[in-house]
Amino acid sequence: MLRLRIQRATWPRPALILTDTPHPDCRYCEGDGGIEHEYGHPETGEYDGSRWESCICWNHERRWLLMPLPRLPRRHRCTPDCLCNEPPF
């Protein structure tokens, strides 16, 4: 069963997409869409990273482009004749 929602994507370009969402009452992932497995370094036992395992209730690759959004020009906060420390310098 699909649980669709509209979402704003920023990569590779701004767009509105229709995407699937995890089942909120899933007994495996509890609505998160997957389970994160943290693991330690084999010799020291210290935290070494994590791995994400997707749940069967959700397919994160199921998405459709609805409408590309325009790229807005960047606005500078300072006028050309003033000195400021805001990026870009």
Side-chain angles (χ1 to χ4, degrees):
M1 180 176 164
L2 290 174
R3 290 153 310 280
L4 300 175
R5 71 175 173 169
I6 296 175
Q7 188 177 25
R8 182 180 184 272
T10 57
W11 190 88
R13 66 167 296 174
L16 292 179
I17 58 171
L18 189 63
T19 183
D20 189 19
T21 58
H23 194 280
D25 298 327
C26 179
R27 63 181 182 175
Y28 300 113
C29 70
E30 298 175 351
D32 290 334
I35 301 167
E36 184 177 22
H37 299 283
E38 297 177 345
Y39 53 91
H41 191 274
E43 294 177 7
T44 62
E46 294 182 13
Y47 177 76
D48 199 23
S50 60
R51 182 175 53 88
W52 180 263
E53 179 183 353
S54 295
C55 186
I56 58 173
C57 74
W58 175 54
N59 184 354
H60 66 280
E61 295 177 358
R62 193 177 298 159
R63 51 196 302 166
W64 299 275
L65 175 69
L66 292 178
M67 179 176 64
L69 297 174
R71 290 189 176 116
L72 298 176
R74 298 183 97 188
R75 294 185 207 165
H76 298 292
R77 295 182 185 161
C78 298
T79 60
D81 59 339
C82 78
L83 299 174
C84 69
N85 58 359
E86 294 291 323
F89 297 104

